[in-house]
Amino acid sequence: MQDSGELAQRVEREIAASKATSPTHPGQSDSRHKTDPALVEAINQVFALFRLNYHNQYYAAFSDAEQLRQIKKLWLDSLKAVPPAQILQGAKLAIENSEYLPTLNRMHKCCEESLPALGLPAARAAYLEACNAGSPPELKHWSHPAVYWAGRDSGWQRLAAAPETQSWPVFNRHYQSRCATLLMGGEIPPIPDPPKNRLTSKALEGDAALQQIQRLKADNDL
């Protein structure tokens, strides 16, 4: 297997060049369903990259043109909620880390694992961060607003008290959705200010504690 640094550079060059090598559009024969052209192009680029990097395996797996067309349609449908940039980054990650042609399931995992390369926390790290949000969560120093909003969407109480088997799938779904919004050019609101009543309560508690200390000090001076 090639050195990972050299391979990463090669993949980046191939992503830029693969438009010229991928004329086949998955699903183009069914004109009743409109598909995002950028998503179609991303799937074509991914398969072009696989062809270049897994040459013998690729032709052994996709020896029939009709079979390849059907597989592209399957990938297109399965990855339709994933932004094209994340799909391409996922393909790069798959190529860098395995000598074997990835399955669709592995491709989904690579797409999720590609978030740090796109400037977003990894899903598991984001989940652990949200589970330890504290109260109020607005006071926490968040690594990214997407983590806060995914936590809020999931429910802070669920993240704090529910078993991981219940809370993780919910959080991951909301987090991937928030990340997709950003990667598709959308915006995420800034983290809101903490509730004023909580801040006032904290301030009053601090004042009361200070007064208590001053009283104790005065008693000791007597």
Side-chain angles (χ1 to χ4, degrees):
M1 192 172 181
Q2 298 181 31
D3 176 79
S4 60
E6 295 179 359
L7 182 54
Q9 294 177 2
R10 179 186 174 192
V11 170
E12 289 172 355
R13 291 195 299 269
E14 289 166 356
I15 286 176
S18 61
K19 290 183 180 181
T21 64
S22 309
T24 304
H25 293 276
Q28 74 181 90
S29 62
D30 189 351
S31 60
R32 294 173 300 172
H33 303 285
K34 292 184 178 180
T35 304
D36 181 5
L39 180 59
V40 173
E41 183 59 33
I43 296 298
N44 280 329
Q45 289 187 44
V46 165
F47 276 82
L49 291 174
F50 289 166
R51 184 178 69 245
L52 291 168
N53 286 275
Y54 301 107
H55 188 272
N56 292 336
Q57 293 180 47
Y58 182 92
Y59 284 108
F62 311 126
S63 57
D64 179 80
E66 177 60 21
Q67 178 196 40
L68 176 59
R69 189 181 72 84
Q70 293 297 328
I71 291 174
K72 281 187 175 184
K73 287 178 64 176
L74 173 63
W75 281 51
L76 182 67
D77 183 66
S78 183
L79 294 166
K80 62 186 176 184
V82 183
Q86 192 175 358
I87 291 174
L88 292 174
Q89 193 64 43
K92 175 182 175 182
L93 187 65
I95 291 169
E96 287 179 340
N97 289 281
S98 178
E99 299 179 21
Y100 302 101
L101 193 66
T103 62
L104 179 54
N105 180 60
R106 178 58 186 154
M107 184 63 184
H108 272 284
K109 292 179 180 178
C110 286
C111 287
E112 292 184 8
E113 293 167 3
S114 71
L115 289 174
L118 297 169
L120 290 156
R124 288 294 299 181
Y127 169 70
L128 295 175
E129 183 180 351
C131 286
N132 292 281
S135 181
E138 292 81 7
L139 284 176
K140 184 179 178 66
H141 180 69
W142 293 95
S143 61
H144 196 282
V147 182
Y148 167 85
W149 288 107
R152 195 209 66 166
D153 296 343
S154 304
W156 300 116
Q157 184 61 32
R158 174 189 282 120
L159 293 176
E164 181 176 324
T165 53
Q166 297 177 16
S167 60
W168 159 246
V170 174
F171 177 84
N172 190 42
R173 182 173 69 252
H174 286 298
Y175 184 62
Q176 296 297 334
S177 176
R178 290 286 181 174
C179 291
T181 296
L182 282 174
L183 295 174
M184 293 293 287
E187 296 182 354
I188 290 181
I191 297 170
D193 293 329
K196 290 184 178 180
N197 61 329
R198 290 299 300 271
L199 290 176
T200 302
S201 175
K202 290 291 184 182
L204 291 175
E205 290 175 7
D207 289 342
L210 180 60
Q211 291 173 6
Q212 179 68 11
I213 291 172
Q214 290 172 342
R215 284 196 298 269
L216 292 171
K217 184 178 179 181
D219 292 341
N220 289 333
D221 289 343
L222 293 176

